[in-house]
PDB file of all heavy atoms in Angstrom:
ATOM      1  N   GLN A   1       0.815  -1.214   0.006  1.00  0.00           N
ATOM      2  CA  GLN A   1      -0.005   0.003   0.000  1.00  0.00           C
ATOM      3  C   GLN A   1       0.857   1.280  -0.010  1.00  0.00           C
ATOM      4  O   GLN A   1       0.325   2.349  -0.244  1.00  0.00           O
ATOM      5  CB  GLN A   1      -0.930   0.001   1.217  1.00  0.00           C
ATOM      6  CG  GLN A   1      -1.921  -1.180   1.215  1.00  0.00           C
ATOM      7  CD  GLN A   1      -2.797  -1.200   2.433  1.00  0.00           C
ATOM      8  OE1 GLN A   1      -2.737  -0.300   3.309  1.00  0.00           O
ATOM      9  NE2 GLN A   1      -3.638  -2.210   2.560  1.00  0.00           N
ATOM     10  N   THR A   2       2.145   1.133   0.285  1.00  0.00           N
ATOM     11  CA  THR A   2       3.062   2.239   0.156  1.00  0.00           C
ATOM     12  C   THR A   2       3.465   2.411  -1.298  1.00  0.00           C
ATOM     13  O   THR A   2       3.921   1.456  -1.929  1.00  0.00           O
ATOM     14  CB  THR A   2       4.310   1.994   1.034  1.00  0.00           C
ATOM     15  OG1 THR A   2       3.903   1.793   2.373  1.00  0.00           O
ATOM     16  CG2 THR A   2       5.219   3.224   0.993  1.00  0.00           C
ATOM     17  N   THR A   3       3.314   3.586  -1.820  1.00  0.00           N
ATOM     18  CA  THR A   3       3.559   3.816  -3.251  1.00  0.00           C
ATOM     19  C   THR A   3       5.003   3.497  -3.626  1.00  0.00           C
ATOM     20  O   THR A   3       5.249   2.966  -4.710  1.00  0.00           O
ATOM     21  CB  THR A   3       3.211   5.267  -3.622  1.00  0.00           C
ATOM     22  OG1 THR A   3       3.963   6.140  -2.788  1.00  0.00           O
ATOM     23  CG2 THR A   3       1.733   5.528  -3.420  1.00  0.00           C
ATOM     24  N   ALA A   4       5.951   3.812  -2.755  1.00  0.00           N
ATOM     25  CA  ALA A   4       7.350   3.554  -3.087  1.00  0.00           C
ATOM     26  C   ALA A   4       7.626   2.064  -3.143  1.00  0.00           C
ATOM     27  O   ALA A   4       8.327   1.590  -4.061  1.00  0.00           O
ATOM     28  CB  ALA A   4       8.252   4.204  -2.048  1.00  0.00           C
ATOM     29  N   VAL A   5       7.087   1.280  -2.219  1.00  0.00           N
ATOM     30  CA  VAL A   5       7.296  -0.186  -2.232  1.00  0.00           C
ATOM     31  C   VAL A   5       6.612  -0.768  -3.493  1.00  0.00           C
ATOM     32  O   VAL A   5       7.210  -1.601  -4.174  1.00  0.00           O
ATOM     33  CB  VAL A   5       6.721  -0.824  -0.951  1.00  0.00           C
ATOM     34  CG1 VAL A   5       6.792  -2.325  -1.047  1.00  0.00           C
ATOM     35  CG2 VAL A   5       7.498  -0.337   0.261  1.00  0.00           C
ATOM     36  N   TYR A   6       5.400  -0.330  -3.760  1.00  0.00           N
ATOM     37  CA  TYR A   6       4.709  -0.825  -4.921  1.00  0.00           C
ATOM     38  C   TYR A   6       5.462  -0.501  -6.221  1.00  0.00           C
ATOM     39  O   TYR A   6       5.585  -1.376  -7.109  1.00  0.00           O
ATOM     40  CB  TYR A   6       3.295  -0.235  -4.997  1.00  0.00           C
ATOM     41  CG  TYR A   6       2.457  -0.719  -6.143  1.00  0.00           C
ATOM     42  CD1 TYR A   6       1.721  -1.898  -6.062  1.00  0.00           C
ATOM     43  CD2 TYR A   6       2.410  -0.019  -7.343  1.00  0.00           C
ATOM     44  CE1 TYR A   6       0.953  -2.351  -7.116  1.00  0.00           C
ATOM     45  CE2 TYR A   6       1.634  -0.444  -8.408  1.00  0.00           C
ATOM     46  CZ  TYR A   6       0.911  -1.628  -8.284  1.00  0.00           C
ATOM     47  OH  TYR A   6       0.168  -2.084  -9.346  1.00  0.00           O
ATOM     48  N   ALA A   7       5.990   0.707  -6.298  1.00  0.00           N
ATOM     49  CA  ALA A   7       6.743   1.104  -7.496  1.00  0.00           C
ATOM     50  C   ALA A   7       8.024   0.288  -7.643  1.00  0.00           C
ATOM     51  O   ALA A   7       8.339  -0.176  -8.752  1.00  0.00           O
ATOM     52  CB  ALA A   7       7.068   2.601  -7.454  1.00  0.00           C
ATOM     53  N   CYS A   8       8.772   0.092  -6.554  1.00  0.00           N
ATOM     54  CA  CYS A   8      10.024  -0.664  -6.623  1.00  0.00           C
ATOM     55  C   CYS A   8       9.774  -2.135  -7.001  1.00  0.00           C
ATOM     56  O   CYS A   8      10.460  -2.685  -7.837  1.00  0.00           O
ATOM     57  CB  CYS A   8      10.751  -0.589  -5.294  1.00  0.00           C
ATOM     58  SG  CYS A   8      11.439   1.054  -4.902  1.00  0.00           S
ATOM     59  N   VAL A   9       8.764  -2.746  -6.370  1.00  0.00           N
ATOM     60  CA  VAL A   9       8.438  -4.118  -6.684  1.00  0.00           C
ATOM     61  C   VAL A   9       8.001  -4.274  -8.125  1.00  0.00           C
ATOM     62  O   VAL A   9       8.406  -5.188  -8.843  1.00  0.00           O
ATOM     63  CB  VAL A   9       7.377  -4.650  -5.699  1.00  0.00           C
ATOM     64  CG1 VAL A   9       6.895  -6.026  -6.146  1.00  0.00           C
ATOM     65  CG2 VAL A   9       7.924  -4.726  -4.308  1.00  0.00           C
ATOM     66  N   ARG A  10       7.197  -3.344  -8.588  1.00  0.00           N
ATOM     67  CA  ARG A  10       6.712  -3.395  -9.946  1.00  0.00           C
ATOM     68  C   ARG A  10       7.843  -3.210 -10.960  1.00  0.00           C
ATOM     69  O   ARG A  10       7.903  -3.910 -11.985  1.00  0.00           O
ATOM     70  CB  ARG A  10       5.640  -2.361 -10.186  1.00  0.00           C
ATOM     71  CG  ARG A  10       4.976  -2.407 -11.539  1.00  0.00           C
ATOM     72  CD  ARG A  10       3.834  -1.434 -11.670  1.00  0.00           C
ATOM     73  NE  ARG A  10       3.243  -1.496 -12.991  1.00  0.00           N
ATOM     74  CZ  ARG A  10       2.240  -0.713 -13.396  1.00  0.00           C
ATOM     75  NH1 ARG A  10       1.693   0.161 -12.552  1.00  0.00           N
ATOM     76  NH2 ARG A  10       1.752  -0.829 -14.625  1.00  0.00           N
ATOM     77  N   ILE A  11       8.732  -2.269 -10.684  1.00  0.00           N
ATOM     78  CA  ILE A  11       9.867  -2.032 -11.592  1.00  0.00           C
ATOM     79  C   ILE A  11      10.720  -3.253 -11.768  1.00  0.00           C
ATOM     80  O   ILE A  11      11.048  -3.696 -12.861  1.00  0.00           O
ATOM     81  CB  ILE A  11      10.684  -0.827 -11.094  1.00  0.00           C
ATOM     82  CG1 ILE A  11       9.910   0.482 -11.301  1.00  0.00           C
ATOM     83  CG2 ILE A  11      12.022  -0.736 -11.841  1.00  0.00           C
ATOM     84  CD1 ILE A  11      10.514   1.667 -10.622  1.00  0.00           C
ATOM     85  N   LEU A  12      11.113  -3.852 -10.631  1.00  0.00           N
ATOM     86  CA  LEU A  12      12.023  -5.009 -10.697  1.00  0.00           C
ATOM     87  C   LEU A  12      11.308  -6.245 -11.242  1.00  0.00           C
ATOM     88  O   LEU A  12      11.888  -6.992 -12.034  1.00  0.00           O
ATOM     89  CB  LEU A  12      12.574  -5.319  -9.299  1.00  0.00           C
ATOM     90  CG  LEU A  12      13.556  -4.276  -8.747  1.00  0.00           C
ATOM     91  CD1 LEU A  12      13.870  -4.549  -7.287  1.00  0.00           C
ATOM     92  CD2 LEU A  12      14.827  -4.287  -9.558  1.00  0.00           C
ATOM     93  N   ALA A  13      10.067  -6.465 -10.856  1.00  0.00           N
ATOM     94  CA  ALA A  13       9.319  -7.624 -11.340  1.00  0.00           C
ATOM     95  C   ALA A  13       9.090  -7.542 -12.846  1.00  0.00           C
ATOM     96  O   ALA A  13       9.276  -8.515 -13.581  1.00  0.00           O
ATOM     97  CB  ALA A  13       8.000  -7.762 -10.592  1.00  0.00           C
ATOM     98  N   GLU A  14       8.710  -6.359 -13.332  1.00  0.00           N
ATOM     99  CA  GLU A  14       8.446  -6.229 -14.750  1.00  0.00           C
ATOM    100  C   GLU A  14       9.763  -6.241 -15.566  1.00  0.00           C
ATOM    101  O   GLU A  14       9.772  -6.702 -16.698  1.00  0.00           O
ATOM    102  CB  GLU A  14       7.698  -4.915 -15.019  1.00  0.00           C
ATOM    103  CG  GLU A  14       6.264  -4.944 -14.513  1.00  0.00           C
ATOM    104  CD  GLU A  14       5.554  -3.626 -14.751  1.00  0.00           C
ATOM    105  OE1 GLU A  14       6.235  -2.644 -15.136  1.00  0.00           O
ATOM    106  OE2 GLU A  14       4.309  -3.564 -14.574  1.00  0.00           O
ATOM    107  N   ALA A  15      10.857  -5.779 -14.949  1.00  0.00           N
ATOM    108  CA  ALA A  15      12.135  -5.829 -15.647  1.00  0.00           C
ATOM    109  C   ALA A  15      12.610  -7.264 -15.873  1.00  0.00           C
ATOM    110  O   ALA A  15      13.055  -7.629 -16.957  1.00  0.00           O
ATOM    111  CB  ALA A  15      13.185  -5.036 -14.884  1.00  0.00           C
ATOM    112  N   ILE A  16      12.511  -8.080 -14.826  1.00  0.00           N
ATOM    113  CA  ILE A  16      12.882  -9.475 -14.961  1.00  0.00           C
ATOM    114  C   ILE A  16      11.916 -10.235 -15.877  1.00  0.00           C
ATOM    115  O   ILE A  16      12.332 -11.067 -16.703  1.00  0.00           O
ATOM    116  CB  ILE A  16      12.912 -10.158 -13.571  1.00  0.00           C
ATOM    117  CG1 ILE A  16      14.037  -9.569 -12.705  1.00  0.00           C
ATOM    118  CG2 ILE A  16      13.082 -11.682 -13.672  1.00  0.00           C
ATOM    119  CD1 ILE A  16      15.430  -9.819 -13.228  1.00  0.00           C
ATOM    120  N   ALA A  17      10.628  -9.911 -15.792  1.00  0.00           N
ATOM    121  CA  ALA A  17       9.645 -10.607 -16.622  1.00  0.00           C
ATOM    122  C   ALA A  17       9.780 -10.249 -18.085  1.00  0.00           C
ATOM    123  O   ALA A  17       9.436 -11.073 -18.960  1.00  0.00           O
ATOM    124  CB  ALA A  17       8.239 -10.291 -16.111  1.00  0.00           C
ATOM    125  N   GLY A  18      10.263  -9.044 -18.376  1.00  0.00           N
ATOM    126  CA  GLY A  18      10.345  -8.599 -19.750  1.00  0.00           C
ATOM    127  C   GLY A  18      11.635  -8.976 -20.477  1.00  0.00           C
ATOM    128  O   GLY A  18      11.731  -8.784 -21.680  1.00  0.00           O
ATOM    129  N   LEU A  19      12.622  -9.513 -19.744  1.00  0.00           N
ATOM    130  CA  LEU A  19      13.892  -9.869 -20.400  1.00  0.00           C
ATOM    131  C   LEU A  19      13.723 -11.143 -21.224  1.00  0.00           C
ATOM    132  O   LEU A  19      13.055 -12.078 -20.796  1.00  0.00           O
ATOM    133  CB  LEU A  19      14.961 -10.088 -19.344  1.00  0.00           C
ATOM    134  CG  LEU A  19      15.457  -8.868 -18.574  1.00  0.00           C
ATOM    135  CD1 LEU A  19      16.483  -9.290 -17.534  1.00  0.00           C
ATOM    136  CD2 LEU A  19      16.096  -7.862 -19.514  1.00  0.00           C
ATOM    137  N   PRO A  20      14.318 -11.196 -22.381  1.00  0.00           N
ATOM    138  CA  PRO A  20      14.287 -12.439 -23.182  1.00  0.00           C
ATOM    139  C   PRO A  20      15.017 -13.555 -22.418  1.00  0.00           C
ATOM    140  O   PRO A  20      16.089 -13.349 -21.876  1.00  0.00           O
ATOM    141  CB  PRO A  20      15.023 -12.061 -24.471  1.00  0.00           C
ATOM    142  CG  PRO A  20      14.954 -10.573 -24.541  1.00  0.00           C
ATOM    143  CD  PRO A  20      14.959 -10.103 -23.143  1.00  0.00           C
ATOM    144  N   LEU A  21      14.393 -14.732 -22.406  1.00  0.00           N
ATOM    145  CA  LEU A  21      14.942 -15.868 -21.693  1.00  0.00           C
ATOM    146  C   LEU A  21      15.036 -17.068 -22.658  1.00  0.00           C
ATOM    147  O   LEU A  21      14.022 -17.479 -23.207  1.00  0.00           O
ATOM    148  CB  LEU A  21      14.061 -16.240 -20.493  1.00  0.00           C
ATOM    149  CG  LEU A  21      14.504 -17.397 -19.601  1.00  0.00           C
ATOM    150  CD1 LEU A  21      15.883 -17.152 -19.033  1.00  0.00           C
ATOM    151  CD2 LEU A  21      13.490 -17.653 -18.473  1.00  0.00           C
ATOM    152  N   HIS A  22      16.238 -17.560 -22.863  1.00  0.00           N
ATOM    153  CA  HIS A  22      16.474 -18.603 -23.872  1.00  0.00           C
ATOM    154  C   HIS A  22      17.290 -19.755 -23.262  1.00  0.00           C
ATOM    155  O   HIS A  22      17.931 -19.589 -22.218  1.00  0.00           O
ATOM    156  CB  HIS A  22      17.193 -18.026 -25.099  1.00  0.00           C
ATOM    157  CG  HIS A  22      16.495 -16.878 -25.741  1.00  0.00           C
ATOM    158  ND1 HIS A  22      15.287 -17.027 -26.385  1.00  0.00           N
ATOM    159  CD2 HIS A  22      16.838 -15.567 -25.856  1.00  0.00           C
ATOM    160  CE1 HIS A  22      14.909 -15.831 -26.871  1.00  0.00           C
ATOM    161  NE2 HIS A  22      15.828 -14.956 -26.565  1.00  0.00           N
ATOM    162  N   VAL A  23      17.243 -20.863 -23.982  1.00  0.00           N
ATOM    163  CA  VAL A  23      18.026 -22.043 -23.652  1.00  0.00           C
ATOM    164  C   VAL A  23      19.112 -22.187 -24.695  1.00  0.00           C
ATOM    165  O   VAL A  23      18.843 -22.142 -25.906  1.00  0.00           O
ATOM    166  CB  VAL A  23      17.144 -23.303 -23.596  1.00  0.00           C
ATOM    167  CG1 VAL A  23      17.990 -24.533 -23.237  1.00  0.00           C
ATOM    168  CG2 VAL A  23      16.035 -23.132 -22.570  1.00  0.00           C
ATOM    169  N   TYR A  24      20.388 -22.360 -24.272  1.00  0.00           N
ATOM    170  CA  TYR A  24      21.537 -22.398 -25.154  1.00  0.00           C
ATOM    171  C   TYR A  24      22.275 -23.715 -24.955  1.00  0.00           C
ATOM    172  O   TYR A  24      22.173 -24.370 -23.930  1.00  0.00           O
ATOM    173  CB  TYR A  24      22.474 -21.257 -24.905  1.00  0.00           C
ATOM    174  CG  TYR A  24      21.880 -19.883 -25.222  1.00  0.00           C
ATOM    175  CD1 TYR A  24      21.250 -19.131 -24.231  1.00  0.00           C
ATOM    176  CD2 TYR A  24      22.012 -19.320 -26.482  1.00  0.00           C
ATOM    177  CE1 TYR A  24      20.726 -17.900 -24.507  1.00  0.00           C
ATOM    178  CE2 TYR A  24      21.514 -18.070 -26.773  1.00  0.00           C
ATOM    179  CZ  TYR A  24      20.831 -17.360 -25.763  1.00  0.00           C
ATOM    180  OH  TYR A  24      20.326 -16.130 -26.064  1.00  0.00           O
ATOM    181  N   ARG A  25      23.046 -24.048 -25.985  1.00  0.00           N
ATOM    182  CA  ARG A  25      23.944 -25.214 -25.946  1.00  0.00           C
ATOM    183  C   ARG A  25      25.362 -24.754 -26.295  1.00  0.00           C
ATOM    184  O   ARG A  25      25.554 -23.934 -27.209  1.00  0.00           O
ATOM    185  CB  ARG A  25      23.487 -26.293 -26.944  1.00  0.00           C
ATOM    186  CG  ARG A  25      24.439 -27.487 -27.001  1.00  0.00           C
ATOM    187  CD  ARG A  25      24.153 -28.435 -28.117  1.00  0.00           C
ATOM    188  NE  ARG A  25      22.907 -29.161 -27.967  1.00  0.00           N
ATOM    189  CZ  ARG A  25      21.856 -29.056 -28.744  1.00  0.00           C
ATOM    190  NH1 ARG A  25      21.908 -28.244 -29.805  1.00  0.00           N
ATOM    191  NH2 ARG A  25      20.771 -29.736 -28.508  1.00  0.00           N
ATOM    192  N   TYR A  26      26.349 -25.282 -25.584  1.00  0.00           N
ATOM    193  CA  TYR A  26      27.739 -25.000 -25.887  1.00  0.00           C
ATOM    194  C   TYR A  26      28.117 -25.725 -27.175  1.00  0.00           C
ATOM    195  O   TYR A  26      27.844 -26.919 -27.362  1.00  0.00           O
ATOM    196  CB  TYR A  26      28.658 -25.449 -24.749  1.00  0.00           C
ATOM    197  CG  TYR A  26      28.494 -24.608 -23.487  1.00  0.00           C
ATOM    198  CD1 TYR A  26      27.917 -25.142 -22.355  1.00  0.00           C
ATOM    199  CD2 TYR A  26      28.982 -23.310 -23.441  1.00  0.00           C
ATOM    200  CE1 TYR A  26      27.772 -24.408 -21.198  1.00  0.00           C
ATOM    201  CE2 TYR A  26      28.861 -22.539 -22.279  1.00  0.00           C
ATOM    202  CZ  TYR A  26      28.251 -23.103 -21.162  1.00  0.00           C
ATOM    203  OH  TYR A  26      28.119 -22.368 -20.037  1.00  0.00           O
ATOM    204  N   ARG A  27      28.806 -25.040 -28.086  1.00  0.00           N
ATOM    205  CA  ARG A  27      29.323 -25.634 -29.284  1.00  0.00           C
ATOM    206  C   ARG A  27      30.739 -26.104 -29.095  1.00  0.00           C
ATOM    207  O   ARG A  27      31.443 -25.681 -28.170  1.00  0.00           O
ATOM    208  CB  ARG A  27      29.240 -24.643 -30.431  1.00  0.00           C
ATOM    209  CG  ARG A  27      27.813 -24.268 -30.825  1.00  0.00           C
ATOM    210  CD  ARG A  27      27.779 -23.463 -32.122  1.00  0.00           C
ATOM    211  NE  ARG A  27      28.712 -22.351 -32.148  1.00  0.00           N
ATOM    212  CZ  ARG A  27      28.652 -21.359 -33.024  1.00  0.00           C
ATOM    213  NH1 ARG A  27      27.719 -21.328 -33.937  1.00  0.00           N
ATOM    214  NH2 ARG A  27      29.551 -20.411 -32.980  1.00  0.00           N
ATOM    215  N   LEU A  28      31.200 -26.977 -29.994  1.00  0.00           N
ATOM    216  CA  LEU A  28      32.544 -27.516 -29.897  1.00  0.00           C
ATOM    217  C   LEU A  28      33.615 -26.446 -30.095  1.00  0.00           C
ATOM    218  O   LEU A  28      34.732 -26.560 -29.579  1.00  0.00           O
ATOM    219  CB  LEU A  28      32.748 -28.660 -30.902  1.00  0.00           C
ATOM    220  CG  LEU A  28      31.853 -29.884 -30.681  1.00  0.00           C
ATOM    221  CD1 LEU A  28      32.102 -30.921 -31.777  1.00  0.00           C
ATOM    222  CD2 LEU A  28      32.080 -30.497 -29.303  1.00  0.00           C
ATOM    223  N   ASP A  29      33.297 -25.401 -30.858  1.00  0.00           N
ATOM    224  CA  ASP A  29      34.265 -24.338 -31.126  1.00  0.00           C
ATOM    225  C   ASP A  29      34.318 -23.279 -30.037  1.00  0.00           C
ATOM    226  O   ASP A  29      34.982 -22.264 -30.171  1.00  0.00           O
ATOM    227  CB  ASP A  29      33.976 -23.651 -32.477  1.00  0.00           C
ATOM    228  CG  ASP A  29      32.567 -23.059 -32.528  1.00  0.00           C
ATOM    229  OD1 ASP A  29      31.799 -23.218 -31.558  1.00  0.00           O
ATOM    230  OD2 ASP A  29      32.218 -22.413 -33.548  1.00  0.00           O
ATOM    231  N   GLY A  30      33.598 -23.527 -28.928  1.00  0.00           N
ATOM    232  CA  GLY A  30      33.588 -22.606 -27.827  1.00  0.00           C
ATOM    233  C   GLY A  30      32.447 -21.606 -27.836  1.00  0.00           C
ATOM    234  O   GLY A  30      32.276 -20.873 -26.866  1.00  0.00           O
ATOM    235  N   GLY A  31      31.689 -21.549 -28.921  1.00  0.00           N
ATOM    236  CA  GLY A  31      30.541 -20.641 -28.995  1.00  0.00           C
ATOM    237  C   GLY A  31      29.292 -21.229 -28.383  1.00  0.00           C
ATOM    238  O   GLY A  31      29.329 -22.237 -27.656  1.00  0.00           O
ATOM    239  N   LYS A  32      28.171 -20.615 -28.644  1.00  0.00           N
ATOM    240  CA  LYS A  32      26.895 -21.071 -28.134  1.00  0.00           C
ATOM    241  C   LYS A  32      25.844 -20.929 -29.226  1.00  0.00           C
ATOM    242  O   LYS A  32      25.977 -20.123 -30.123  1.00  0.00           O
ATOM    243  CB  LYS A  32      26.486 -20.276 -26.902  1.00  0.00           C
ATOM    244  CG  LYS A  32      26.277 -18.774 -27.156  1.00  0.00           C
ATOM    245  CD  LYS A  32      25.867 -18.014 -25.915  1.00  0.00           C
ATOM    246  CE  LYS A  32      25.619 -16.522 -26.260  1.00  0.00           C
ATOM    247  NZ  LYS A  32      25.254 -15.739 -25.108  1.00  0.00           N
ATOM    248  N   GLU A  33      24.783 -21.717 -29.116  1.00  0.00           N
ATOM    249  CA  GLU A  33      23.704 -21.649 -30.042  1.00  0.00           C
ATOM    250  C   GLU A  33      22.381 -21.835 -29.291  1.00  0.00           C
ATOM    251  O   GLU A  33      22.313 -22.572 -28.307  1.00  0.00           O
ATOM    252  CB  GLU A  33      23.818 -22.694 -31.129  1.00  0.00           C
ATOM    253  CG  GLU A  33      23.848 -24.128 -30.633  1.00  0.00           C
ATOM    254  CD  GLU A  33      23.962 -25.138 -31.758  1.00  0.00           C
ATOM    255  OE1 GLU A  33      23.830 -24.715 -32.913  1.00  0.00           O
ATOM    256  OE2 GLU A  33      24.185 -26.342 -31.506  1.00  0.00           O
ATOM    257  N   ARG A  34      21.352 -21.137 -29.764  1.00  0.00           N
ATOM    258  CA  ARG A  34      20.061 -21.190 -29.139  1.00  0.00           C
ATOM    259  C   ARG A  34      19.354 -22.513 -29.541  1.00  0.00           C
ATOM    260  O   ARG A  34      19.428 -22.933 -30.711  1.00  0.00           O
ATOM    261  CB  ARG A  34      19.219 -19.985 -29.532  1.00  0.00           C
ATOM    262  CG  ARG A  34      17.914 -19.852 -28.757  1.00  0.00           C
ATOM    263  CD  ARG A  34      17.134 -18.651 -29.320  1.00  0.00           C
ATOM    264  NE  ARG A  34      17.930 -17.434 -29.293  1.00  0.00           N
ATOM    265  CZ  ARG A  34      17.510 -16.278 -29.838  1.00  0.00           C
ATOM    266  NH1 ARG A  34      16.325 -16.223 -30.479  1.00  0.00           N
ATOM    267  NH2 ARG A  34      18.255 -15.220 -29.758  1.00  0.00           N
ATOM    268  N   ILE A  35      18.718 -23.141 -28.577  1.00  0.00           N
ATOM    269  CA  ILE A  35      17.999 -24.400 -28.818  1.00  0.00           C
ATOM    270  C   ILE A  35      16.516 -24.130 -28.682  1.00  0.00           C
ATOM    271  O   ILE A  35      15.941 -24.216 -27.577  1.00  0.00           O
ATOM    272  CB  ILE A  35      18.447 -25.514 -27.829  1.00  0.00           C
ATOM    273  CG1 ILE A  35      19.945 -25.562 -27.651  1.00  0.00           C
ATOM    274  CG2 ILE A  35      17.965 -26.868 -28.323  1.00  0.00           C
ATOM    275  CD1 ILE A  35      20.416 -26.533 -26.621  1.00  0.00           C
ATOM    276  N   ALA A  36      15.883 -23.819 -29.794  1.00  0.00           N
ATOM    277  CA  ALA A  36      14.447 -23.552 -29.722  1.00  0.00           C
ATOM    278  C   ALA A  36      13.634 -24.841 -29.625  1.00  0.00           C
ATOM    279  O   ALA A  36      12.452 -24.789 -29.261  1.00  0.00           O
ATOM    280  CB  ALA A  36      14.031 -22.783 -30.987  1.00  0.00           C
ATOM    281  N   GLN A  37      14.236 -26.002 -29.910  1.00  0.00           N
ATOM    282  CA  GLN A  37      13.523 -27.236 -29.871  1.00  0.00           C
ATOM    283  C   GLN A  37      13.538 -27.891 -28.488  1.00  0.00           C
ATOM    284  O   GLN A  37      12.860 -28.894 -28.288  1.00  0.00           O
ATOM    285  CB  GLN A  37      14.077 -28.230 -30.905  1.00  0.00           C
ATOM    286  CG  GLN A  37      13.938 -27.792 -32.332  1.00  0.00           C
ATOM    287  CD  GLN A  37      14.966 -26.743 -32.746  1.00  0.00           C
ATOM    288  OE1 GLN A  37      16.009 -26.606 -32.093  1.00  0.00           O
ATOM    289  NE2 GLN A  37      14.643 -25.972 -33.798  1.00  0.00           N
ATOM    290  N   HIS A  38      14.306 -27.371 -27.564  1.00  0.00           N
ATOM    291  CA  HIS A  38      14.376 -27.944 -26.235  1.00  0.00           C
ATOM    292  C   HIS A  38      13.042 -27.748 -25.503  1.00  0.00           C
ATOM    293  O   HIS A  38      12.416 -26.695 -25.622  1.00  0.00           O
ATOM    294  CB  HIS A  38      15.522 -27.310 -25.451  1.00  0.00           C
ATOM    295  CG  HIS A  38      15.931 -28.091 -24.239  1.00  0.00           C
ATOM    296  ND1 HIS A  38      15.242 -28.038 -23.038  1.00  0.00           N
ATOM    297  CD2 HIS A  38      16.928 -28.976 -24.039  1.00  0.00           C
ATOM    298  CE1 HIS A  38      15.823 -28.840 -22.159  1.00  0.00           C
ATOM    299  NE2 HIS A  38      16.860 -29.393 -22.742  1.00  0.00           N
ATOM    300  N   PRO A  39      12.554 -28.747 -24.768  1.00  0.00           N
ATOM    301  CA  PRO A  39      11.278 -28.598 -24.055  1.00  0.00           C
ATOM    302  C   PRO A  39      11.250 -27.405 -23.094  1.00  0.00           C
ATOM    303  O   PRO A  39      10.195 -26.781 -22.913  1.00  0.00           O
ATOM    304  CB  PRO A  39      11.131 -29.924 -23.278  1.00  0.00           C
ATOM    305  CG  PRO A  39      11.984 -30.900 -24.037  1.00  0.00           C
ATOM    306  CD  PRO A  39      13.120 -30.128 -24.612  1.00  0.00           C
TER     307      PRO A  39
END
């Protein structure tokens, strides 16, 4: 009910929720590749 607490919680929660989240696999050459087929 405190506006500052509500604002801080909303900022951090929405920032984490809005970030792209992917699954990657390490390649033999040291790079990485996105695995869209992973469950």
Side-chain angles (χ1 to χ4, degrees):
Q1 298 177 3
T2 304
T3 56
V5 175
Y6 182 85
C8 291
V9 171
R10 184 175 180 181
I11 289 170
L12 291 172
E14 291 178 350
I16 294 295
L19 291 176
L21 181 59
H22 304 293
V23 180
Y24 295 91
R25 177 190 290 117
Y26 292 109
R27 295 190 310 195
L28 297 178
D29 58 357
K32 63 180 181 181
E33 60 179 349
R34 190 184 304 174
I35 316 174
Q37 296 78 21
H38 197 279

